Every structure is written in C-alpha cells, then in structure tokens.
Amino acid sequence: MEHVPALDEDLKKTLGPATAKVLAEQLGLHTALDLLHHYPRRYAERGELTSLAELADQIDEHVTVVAQVADARLLTYQGSRGGGKRLEVTITDGSGRLQLVFFGSGVHKPHKELLPGSRAMFAGKVGMFNHKLQLAHPAYEPLGEDASDRDAAAAFASQLIPIYPACAKLESWKIAKCVDAVLPRAQEVVDPLPGALHEDRGLIPLTEALLKIHRPVTKADIEDARGRLKWDEAFVLQVALARRRHADSQLPAVPRRPTPGGLLESFDAKLPFTLTEGQQGVSKEIFDDLATEHPMHRLLQGEVGSGKTMVALRAMLAVVDSGGQAAMLAPTEVLAQQHHRSITEMMGELAEGGMLGGSDRGTKVVLLTGSMGMPARRQALLDLITGEAGLVIGTHALIEDKVQFHDLGLVVVDEQHRFGVEQRDALRSKGKQPPHLLVMTATPIPRTVAMTVFGDLETSVLDQLPAGRSPIATHVVPAKDKPHFLARAWERVREEVENGHQAYVVCPRIGDGEDENGKGAKGGKKKAAAEDDGDKRPPLAVLEIAEQLSRGPLAGLSVEVLHGRMDPADKDDVMRRFTAGEVKVLVATTVIEVGVNVPNSTVMVIMDADRFGVSQLHQLRGRVGRGSAPGLCLLVSEMHEASPARARLAAVAATLDGFELSRVDLEQRREGDVLGQAQSGVRSSLRMLAVIEDEEVITQAREEATRVVAADPELTELPGLRTALDALLDTEREQYLEKG
C-alpha cells in the first residue's frame, strides 16, 4: 500500500506543539492530510472597489476602497470599564471622505503604518456612527510608491477570504495560516479516483481541487473544487460499502425456505385480513433472499403503522419452518414485551408448540429481558439451546455470552438506530453460520441517506398503510400565546375518553430528578431545550403533569404514568392495563415512541413538542389512529410563532408523509447528527458531500463503485484508492462497515 509520510506526519513538526494540540483536541485534526481536508465552510468577499462617494448606498455591505490617509488621531477615552485608546483615521479618494476606527491593542500597528499621505487599500463593513459613515477595524494593505497599480488593487478587492470551521482557541484566520503552511504538500496527495473516471466526469485533479478549495481566485474555482471533492467522498464511501456487499455475497448461509403446509401457511390461514400489496411485495423480496446460500442483509423501512412487524414475523416463521430459529432484538423492555404479547396473540395456538392445547405445527415463543426472574430466564435459555423455542424476542439480554441457540437462522433488529454495532454483531455471531439479517426502522430515511449510511444493506420500503387505518389530524397548540387552546386540548382528551377511547400525554422528562438514562436533572439534553427565546424553564415532566391533570382538567379519569426508570414489572402492568382499556390516559416519556400498539387510543398530547425532533414527533404521532376511529395529535409549545421550533412543528402538522418529514429533519440538522449514527463515534468522513442535495453524485458514485469492486475486489490495480480508504475510513470505521 502506498504511504505518504509527509502527509501522515504529526502537525507538531510543522506548526509547533501548542497549535497542533489545539487542532487535535478541538477539531480532531492530527496530520497535514487532515488539515488539507478541513475545508472552508464559506468565503467572505472583500467587495468590489468602491469610490467613497458611493458608500452611502452600501450600509452593512463589505466594500474595498483605495484611498489616501488625510489624518490620523490617537485618542484616549474613559469608558464604563476603564480607559482605552481609539485611533481615528480619515481617508479620501478625491470623491469623498471616510472615517476608520481602531480600538484597544489593535491601534498600534495601524498607528505606525497609516501615516498622513500614505495610500492603501481598505476592506471592511460599512457602518454608521453618530450619523457618519465609518469602517471599524478594516483590513488594509499599504500600497507602494506605484499607487497607480490598479492590478494590485483589483486583486485585493476581489479576493475570496476562506472562513474555516473554527473554535474559541483558534480563529478562522489563524487556521488559514496553518493551512498555508501545509498547502504546498497538496502536490503529494495520492489521487483515489481511477483515471478513466476523471475523464468521463470532467473532474479536475485532486491536487488542483485542494488548492482551489483553500485559495480560490474566482467563484468558479470553488465550484470546480467542490465538484471534485464531493465525488471523492461519495466514491470512497461507496467503494467501502460495495466491498462489504461483495464480501457478504461470498459468505455461506443456510437457505431457509418455508415448508408447504407448515407453520407459515397455518399462520396465514388464520389471518383475519389480507396483506397489503406492499407487504406482499416486500415479503417476496425477503423470502427470495432467505432462500439463497448467502446471508440476507436487508433494511426494511416503513411508515409508522405500515405493518413492518407482520412482514418480519412471517419471515421469522418461514425460518422456523425450515428448522431454524429466529431472534428479534428490541431496544427497550417495554417494546420487547409489547412485541412478545402481540406476536403470541397473533399466532394463538401456533405459539404454544409442545404445550397442552398447542398446535402440532406450532413452536414456542419466548421472551428474554434483563429483568426476568431466574426460573423464567433459565427456562428461556434452555428452550433456546434445545431448539424448542423457534422464536425469541428480547432486549440486549439476548447477546449475553450465556445465551446459546440450537440453530439461529434469522436476526431481526427493530429500530436499528438504537443499537450499537457491537450489539448487533454479537447476536449475529451466535449462528453456526452467519444468520440472515433483517434490520427494521420506522424512521423513514431519504433514499440517499439509506445509500450512504446503510449502503451495505439492500433496502425494502413499505409505504402503504393497511386497510382500516384512520387518518390522523395534527394541530399546533400555542400554549403561551393562546392559553385557552391548551384548555380546549384537555377538553378534547376528556371527550375522547367519554366516547370510549384512550389518550397519551407525552413529556420530555420523567421529573424524579433524573432522566431516562439515569443522568441528573442538569444533564446535557435539558440544556438544549428552549432554543428560540432563551426560556430557562426546565422541560415538562411526566410525574408533575400527571399530578396536575389528575387534580385539574382530567380529574376523575384513570391517569397512570409510564417511563423508562420504573420497575419492569410495574411497566408491564401499566401497559397491560392500558392495552386492556382499564387505564384511560397514559402520561409517558418517549418509551412509547415505537412499536406500542393500542388501537383504541385516539388522541395524543405532546407537551413541549418543540423539544423533540421532527422524526420523533412523527413516530410518537403514529401511536394513535391505529384503529377504526380517527386520530388526533396536539403539539403543545410555548415557542413564539416566528421561531424555528414552531416552523418545525408546523411542518409536522402539515403532512403525514414520513419520508417528506425525514428530508425536513435532515435539512434542519447538521448532517453529522444523522450520519453520526453510522459513524461509530468516528469523525464523519463527509465534509463536502450533502446527502440530500447531492443525490445524483451519490447515485452515480454507487454505480461506479459497484463496477470497480466487481472487477477488482481487493483494489490491487488502484493503490491510490486503497490509500484513500485507509485515510478517510480509518480502521475503526472500516470495522463498523464490516459489522453493519
């Protein structure tokens, strides 16, 4: 493999230990190559050359002027924080006069250089002070004796100034100087793209792209550089994913086909409804994968309530039919218990294999969670190792060393984003041969994000809702501006309950001094709360709201609480009674976000809705409208109408299309937040690529990468590409992709 020592060298040698330490600790930049890939986030323009006479029309604009210093005065002033110095310089170009001001320690250099009679170029933002135009702390460049040198003036005026992602200890202009120190090494960068790809796509060489992105002369330079660098990022990442897909296709797996007249057919015969076309189509894709001699790696994403669990269950039954076992991994005990309950109810006597009254075609369905009592746990472990249990539903307790399977054929991971890579990998390693893998998410993912984050998985999309699902109306309740709207919201909850239905009230916090993760009330998430108007009120809490409702607007109704830190037996008891209709109003945290299925629930009130993400609100809303009665979701917020938070809530209220909302979500957040789920904590390799905007680049890069890897899986003919894989997708991330 090619190695480029100068580019891999620690920045201490080039920049000194103090600067290198800040770059490493604050920005994660360790080598010259890292710094070359630390791109400007935007460019400031000094502005066109402007005559002083025209400045009155340029307030708040960045301008550049060429002028002569008329006079300069150094003044001492007294302020509220003590005395200071102020340099006032008056300049003229024959068409008008303008005042420049410099303060504090910034006065010394211009006081020495800007002497009356000297000429210079000045660049800054035009402001007003005491009804006079001025430039405060302008950048300037003294001109020599040949002041008529208009070329120098024009070059200075049109210069594009790179603004870098910076930190408190290292400003953008200092980072620019660091980049200047390593920029000559751009000549040594190894180009990862195959030569033919350059020519076909009309891309500039990588060295040229790095020079142009850091020190552009024109805006066209920036566009050329961005076009090339986006291709590099998309292509290198897609090559890594294509190599993973290729390696997976070489692994052995046991083909799993349903037995004619077996468990799956018996289950289908029991169903009181017909599968949607979408469910049938996706099931065929899955069954085709299961029948091959290589492990399935498929992502099943679907709208809230589209029937993903039914599709997954039929796949699991097909594997049991073939003599194997299937495991479903759920992120929370509440969800694992809910899945276990609903699956055993749907299967009926088919879930009682080997038991009195059970079907002779049935199997045993076991639950395995961390809080189970020892006798039940021992029995579950025994059922798994003997093969008596064909299906197991559990939490991370499934991946403990003690858990062994007779013949694990399929792993279903529900709500994939809740699990670490190592957890999924640990469960998959329990098969005698690699088991088939089905990953499910109810958070719709834009196509390009799926191709970028889950690019090693084939994707199936379920976007058709089953018949009988009711529409959900969503409204924003501005609690601060219109408190009577909130009063009306509680009246609506009472009306729904009186009509025989049930309600959810969701709060961001538990209220027992600790959050869901056991962190104290001063934990980080709560600080991020009120983004728009500086509101310091802590997020509303389950325990407080439940008490207020029981005493106030919902007095007399059965109100219970549910949150992640309750005793598991208590959680299960509350969910059972809510499912049975005994509890009318459930005040909960986001533990009810996914998978909870109570068709009789018709209304949801989300308190402090602005503290939840767009996709999370869509998930929560999906808990209502699951039966024959229409659903109602009320988003309560104290944010003012013009705030970004209210705009997010309005977007959620405006559409039930989860894929549309996922685009909104991604556009409003930093890309790294989304991609961070797949980065295993590693700094994102996507610095230039925008997964929403650059769909065409990602699609083309995936096609090219697939073609390149098919022809040369080890990339023996492309050493530059191997180097780029190591540089951009370091060892930790490469392992992530292997486990994904």
Side-chain angles (χ1 to χ4, degrees), residues 273-285 306 311 314 461-467:
F273 52 81
T274 307
L275 296 178
T276 65
E277 284 180 23
Q279 286 174 315
Q280 291 173 24
V282 168
S283 291
K284 183 180 185 310
E285 291 173 348
S306 58
V311 169
R314 294 183 71 248
V461 177
L462 204 52
D463 54 9
Q464 181 185 7
L465 295 185

Coordinates of all heavy atoms in Angstrom, one line a residue, residues 273-285 306 311 314 461-467:
F273 N -57.3 -10.7 8.0 CA -57.2 -9.7 7.0 C -56.3 -10.1 5.9 O -55.5 -11.1 6.0 CB -56.7 -8.3 7.6 CG -55.5 -8.5 8.3 CD1 -54.2 -8.5 7.7 CD2 -55.5 -8.6 9.7 CE1 -53.0 -8.6 8.4 CE2 -54.3 -8.8 10.4 CZ -53.1 -8.8 9.8
T274 N -56.3 -9.4 4.8 CA -55.4 -9.6 3.6 C -54.2 -8.7 3.7 O -54.4 -7.5 4.1 CB -56.1 -9.4 2.3 OG1 -57.4 -10.1 2.3 CG2 -55.3 -9.8 1.1
L275 N -53.0 -9.2 3.5 CA -51.8 -8.4 3.5 C -52.0 -7.3 2.4 O -52.5 -7.6 1.3 CB -50.6 -9.2 3.2 CG -50.2 -10.3 4.2 CD1 -49.0 -11.1 3.8 CD2 -50.0 -9.7 5.6
T276 N -51.4 -6.2 2.6 CA -51.4 -5.1 1.6 C -50.5 -5.5 0.4 O -49.6 -6.4 0.6 CB -50.9 -3.8 2.1 OG1 -49.5 -3.9 2.5 CG2 -51.7 -3.3 3.3
E277 N -50.6 -4.9 -0.7 CA -49.7 -5.2 -1.8 C -48.3 -4.9 -1.4 O -47.4 -5.7 -1.8 CB -50.1 -4.3 -3.0 CG -51.3 -4.8 -3.8 CD -51.6 -3.8 -5.0 OE1 -50.7 -3.2 -5.4 OE2 -52.8 -3.8 -5.4
G278 N -48.1 -3.8 -0.7 CA -46.7 -3.5 -0.2 C -46.1 -4.6 0.6 O -45.0 -5.0 0.4
Q279 N -46.9 -5.1 1.6 CA -46.5 -6.2 2.5 C -46.1 -7.5 1.6 O -45.1 -8.1 1.9 CB -47.5 -6.5 3.5 CG -47.6 -5.5 4.6 CD -48.7 -5.7 5.6 OE1 -49.8 -6.1 5.2 NE2 -48.5 -5.6 6.9
Q280 N -47.0 -7.7 0.7 CA -46.7 -8.9 -0.2 C -45.5 -8.8 -1.0 O -44.6 -9.7 -1.1 CB -47.9 -9.2 -1.1 CG -49.2 -9.6 -0.3 CD -50.4 -9.7 -1.3 OE1 -50.3 -9.9 -2.5 NE2 -51.6 -9.6 -0.7
G281 N -45.2 -7.6 -1.6 CA -44.1 -7.3 -2.4 C -42.8 -7.4 -1.6 O -41.8 -8.0 -2.0
V282 N -42.8 -6.8 -0.4 CA -41.6 -6.8 0.4 C -41.3 -8.2 1.0 O -40.2 -8.6 1.0 CB -41.8 -5.8 1.6 CG1 -40.7 -6.0 2.7 CG2 -41.7 -4.3 1.1
S283 N -42.4 -8.9 1.3 CA -42.2 -10.3 1.8 C -41.6 -11.1 0.7 O -40.7 -12.0 1.0 CB -43.6 -10.9 2.1 OG -44.1 -10.3 3.3
K284 N -41.9 -10.9 -0.6 CA -41.3 -11.7 -1.6 C -39.8 -11.4 -1.7 O -39.0 -12.3 -1.9 CB -42.0 -11.4 -3.0 CG -41.4 -12.3 -4.1 CD -42.1 -12.0 -5.5 CE -41.5 -12.9 -6.5 NZ -40.1 -13.0 -6.6
E285 N -39.4 -10.1 -1.6 CA -38.0 -9.8 -1.6 C -37.3 -10.5 -0.5 O -36.2 -11.0 -0.7 CB -37.8 -8.2 -1.5 CG -38.3 -7.4 -2.7 CD -38.3 -5.9 -2.4 OE1 -38.1 -5.5 -1.3 OE2 -38.4 -5.2 -3.4
S306 N -47.2 0.8 9.1 CA -47.4 0.2 7.8 C -47.3 -1.3 7.8 O -47.5 -2.0 6.8 CB -46.2 0.7 6.8 OG -45.0 0.4 7.4
V311 N -44.6 -8.3 8.5 CA -43.7 -8.8 7.5 C -42.6 -9.5 8.2 O -42.2 -10.6 7.7 CB -43.2 -7.6 6.7 CG1 -42.0 -8.0 5.8 CG2 -44.3 -7.0 5.8
R314 N -43.6 -13.0 9.6 CA -43.8 -14.0 8.5 C -42.4 -14.6 8.1 O -42.2 -15.7 7.8 CB -44.6 -13.5 7.3 CG -46.0 -13.2 7.7 CD -46.9 -12.7 6.5 NE -47.1 -13.8 5.6 CZ -46.6 -13.9 4.4 NH1 -45.8 -12.9 3.9 NH2 -46.9 -14.9 3.6
V461 N -38.9 -0.8 1.0 CA -39.7 0.3 1.6 C -41.1 -0.1 1.6 O -41.7 -0.6 0.6 CB -39.5 1.5 0.7 CG1 -40.4 2.7 1.2 CG2 -38.1 2.0 0.7
L462 N -41.7 0.1 2.8 CA -43.1 -0.2 3.0 C -43.8 1.1 3.2 O -43.7 1.7 4.3 CB -43.3 -1.2 4.2 CG -44.5 -2.1 4.4 CD1 -44.7 -2.9 3.1 CD2 -44.3 -3.0 5.6
D463 N -44.5 1.6 2.2 CA -45.1 3.0 2.4 C -46.6 3.0 2.3 O -47.3 4.0 2.1 CB -44.5 3.9 1.4 CG -44.6 3.5 0.0 OD1 -45.3 2.5 -0.3 OD2 -43.9 4.1 -0.9
Q464 N -47.2 1.8 2.3 CA -48.7 1.6 2.1 C -49.3 1.2 3.5 O -48.8 0.3 4.1 CB -49.0 0.6 1.0 CG -50.5 0.4 0.7 CD -50.7 -0.8 -0.2 OE1 -49.7 -1.5 -0.6 NE2 -51.9 -1.0 -0.7
L465 N -50.3 2.0 3.9 CA -50.9 1.7 5.2 C -51.9 0.6 5.1 O -52.7 0.6 4.1 CB -51.5 2.9 5.9 CG -50.5 4.0 6.3 CD1 -51.3 5.1 7.0 CD2 -49.4 3.5 7.2
P466 N -52.0 -0.3 6.0 CA -53.1 -1.4 5.9 C -54.5 -0.8 5.9 O -54.7 0.3 6.5 CB -52.8 -2.2 7.2 CG -51.5 -1.9 7.7 CD -51.2 -0.5 7.2
A467 N -55.4 -1.5 5.3 CA -56.8 -1.1 5.3 C -57.3 -1.0 6.8 O -56.9 -1.7 7.6 CB -57.7 -2.1 4.6

